[in-house]
Amino acid sequence: MPVLTRLIPSPVVVDISAGALDDLAGLLADQRISSSGKLAIAISGGSGAALRDRFAPALPGADWYEVGGGTLDEAIKLADAMKSGRYDAVVGMGGGKIIDCAKYAAARIGLPLVAVATNLSHDGLCSPVATLDNDAGRGSYGVPNPIAIVIDLDVIREAPMRFVRSGVGDVISNISAVADWELSHRETGEDIDGLAAAMARQSGEAVLRHPGGCGDDDFLTVLAEGLVMTGISMSVAGDSRPASGACHEINHAFDLLYPKRAAAHGEQCGLGAAFAMYLRGAREQAAYIVEVLRRHGLPVLPGEIGFTDEEFVKAVEYAPQTRPGRYTILEHLDLSTDAIRDAFADYAKTVSS
Ligand SMILES: [Zn+2]
């Protein structure tokens, strides 16, 4: 008999709620995660200490690893430190950097990863990709999706608001990324995965149209669910396509051209998405995205994150080189520097009026 449906690699536990961490020990004792309680827990050197103080008494079989996160070297060092520990699973407890570091390290030693997210800065919380800095800049590494994801809204509310808002920009940028995917499907014949596109777009639209703000649990729930679903949409598609188009090429260009001054991931992606929607002629949608980003305190002009207009033009021009082979509105229009400058001037005028 043929297989009538496909199986999607996805976490066995998704818990997004206020107080989700109150029974972390019970959740981790799930037979599918760690029946023996032998866990390696990665935390940050700074704010991780408070998490360790809170959870260590309930997790006597756990070893705690302080990591800086962020770089490939750190992730390899963490894997080396953990590899002789006979653990059932690795727990990454912290922000995006710690989770990416733990994700890569867990994949390297063949252990499942539990992601305990303490902020909502990007859609990598539950994705099959770890973003880490290497000698050449910044790389995206394929890894298995987490086996469990826990997001405690009580903890998220304590996170720096800027990092929570960043997730808003990242998930809203899905709308532009899916539009790029559809454009490529029309223009180059690239296959489009309808399920992955649906999951990514629904997540973006839900956050875009939600009337709440980063202070409400209702909104934070939809945002966290959107980020988790977006991560899973990447597993469905087999790459980051559903959540990464021109918006992310512009973001990568900021990271590579101005590494010391780059803003939060979602701040750059949101701005990139607004401009990309404008470029593709979706003026009404672009205007609505701008309005919503503004309402959440996210940047819609480069000056709002410390870049000049000319630096933004340079980033847009460089953007296609950050993702060779990905066809987006930028590759489609293939604009000259002067044309980008003119388009940006029009965009800026519309946004400012
Ligand atoms: Zn992103």
Side-chain angles (χ1 to χ4, degrees), residues 8-11 14 16 99-100 103 115 120-131 141-147 149 151 167 170-174 178 181 195-204 222-244 248 265:
I8 299 170
S10 51
V14 175
I16 299 167
I99 290 178
D100 274 3
K103 242 196 226 174
L120 299 175
S121 58
H122 60 68
D123 61 23
L125 308 174
C126 193
S127 74
V129 180
T131 304
Y141 300 88
V143 293
N145 226 323
I147 189 172
I149 169 106
I151 299 174
D170 201 18
V171 76
I172 286 179
S173 80
N174 291 2
V178 173
W181 202 2
L195 176 61
M199 290 169 79
R201 179 158 36 209
Q202 289 298 316
S203 302
V222 169
L223 173 60
E225 288 176 348
L227 293 169
V228 168
M229 296 288 278
T230 302
I232 297 171
S233 79
M234 292 187 234
S235 286
V236 171
D239 68 12
S240 62
R241 193 47 149 143
S244 169
H248 277 62
H265 176 82

